[in-house]
Amino acid sequence: MKFYLQNIDLQFLIGCSIFNGDNWLHFGKPNYCNFACCNKISLHLNMSHQTSTELSAQIKKLYPEFSLELIEDLLLQGKLKNIQAGDILMDVGSHINEVPLILEGKLKVFRPHEDGHELFLYYLGQGDACAISLACSSGHQRISRIRAEAVESCLLFAFPVRFMDEWMLKHRTWYYYVLNTYRFRFEEI
C-alpha cells in the first residue's frame, strides 16, 4: 500500500494507528522511504488492517460488560498501540496521558525502590486495564506511582485520560467496570 504524506515527521507515524472512518491502519517500521517531487514523501509501510467492526467485536469479546455506546466512544477517541517486551508503558512520576486496555500480551505492574528492589503488584493480560492507572487518571492528580513494563509484546487500545471522568458519568458500564477493576485488584493484593 502506498501513502503520500506532506510535512509529516516519519518518526511520528511509527507505532501509531490511524482510523480512516472504516479501517484502522497500523504503521509498523518503514521498509524504505523516498522523497518524491512536490515535497511529498512516498512511504511504503508494513501494515495490517483491522476494520472498526472487527476492532469493536474484539473489544466487546474482551470487555463484554461494555455497552455499544461506550465502544463507539472508545473507537472515536482511542488508538491502537504496539509495545515490545521490555518497553516501559508507564513509570513512577510520569504524567498519565492515556488509559490503556490490553487487547493482547502481558504487562507487569510494580513499584520500584531506590535500592534496586521492587514491590510486585500484579500482571495485566488480555481483557484487563490497570486499576492503579484508572485511579490515578481520574480527577486532577494524574501522576503515576507505579511502573508498567511489557513482559511480552502487547497490543493496547488507549484513549486520552481526559475522557475518564466524563465517561464515568456518561457510561454506566464504564463506571461499573472501573469499580469492579478496583475491587478485583484490591482483593488480589
Side-chain angles (χ1 to χ4, degrees):
M1 193 169 283
K2 197 175 207 180
F3 288 86
Y4 292 97
L5 308 167
Q6 278 187 301
N7 302 321
I8 301 242
D9 179 358
L10 296 180
Q11 292 301 314
F12 175 77
L13 291 176
I14 305 308
C16 292
S17 299
I18 296 175
F19 183 62
N20 71 4
D22 294 317
N23 296 302
W24 282 96
L25 307 175
H26 311 294
F27 292 83
K29 292 185 179 179
N31 288 334
Y32 62 90
C33 318
N34 61 356
F35 292 87
C37 60
C38 303
N39 294 324
K40 291 186 180 180
I41 299 170
S42 174
L43 181 62
H44 301 263
L45 300 161
N46 294 324
M47 300 177 65
S48 62
H49 285 60
Q50 186 171 21
T51 66
S52 60
T53 304
E54 291 168 337
L55 185 55
S56 176
Q58 183 179 13
I59 291 171
K60 188 64 177 169
K61 179 180 175 186
L62 295 173
Y63 303 90
E65 59 274 272
F66 286 5
S67 68
L68 294 178
E69 294 81 11
L70 173 58
I71 292 173
E72 286 175 14
D73 276 351
L74 284 166
L75 292 175
L76 286 172
Q77 304 302 333
K79 64 182 176 182
L80 287 169
K81 293 181 78 169
N82 289 299
I83 60 171
Q84 301 303 312
D87 287 352
I88 305 294
L89 177 66
M90 187 180 306
D91 210 350
V92 176
S94 64
H95 288 275
I96 299 173
N97 299 316
E98 297 176 321
V99 176
L101 303 174
I102 293 86
L103 302 181
E104 296 173 10
K106 189 175 186 179
L107 293 169
K108 177 181 173 182
V109 179
F110 60 98
R111 277 192 80 150
H113 292 280
E114 293 173 7
D115 64 3
H117 293 89
E118 61 186 48
L119 173 63
F120 171 78
L121 298 173
Y122 47 81
Y123 286 109
L124 294 172
Q126 192 176 46
D128 288 333
C130 180
I132 294 173
S133 69
L134 293 173
C136 293
S137 62
S138 60
H140 297 290
Q141 183 69 357
R142 295 185 173 149
I143 303 295
S144 175
R145 303 213 182 274
I146 54 96
R147 178 177 293 160
E149 181 177 334
V151 175
E152 56 191 51
S153 294
C154 295
L155 177 64
L156 310 174
F157 190 82
F159 65 88
V161 70
R162 69 178 179 273
F163 293 104
M164 184 69 185
D165 292 334
E166 176 186 331
W167 290 352
M168 290 289 281
L169 298 172
K170 182 178 177 184
H171 299 291
R172 295 301 281 175
T173 58
W174 179 249
Y175 172 80
Y176 288 121
Y177 176 78
V178 170
L179 289 181
N180 286 333
T181 300
Y182 292 157
R183 182 183 50 79
F184 176 75
R185 293 300 175 193
F186 180 74
E187 289 172 359
E188 186 178 55
I189 292 174

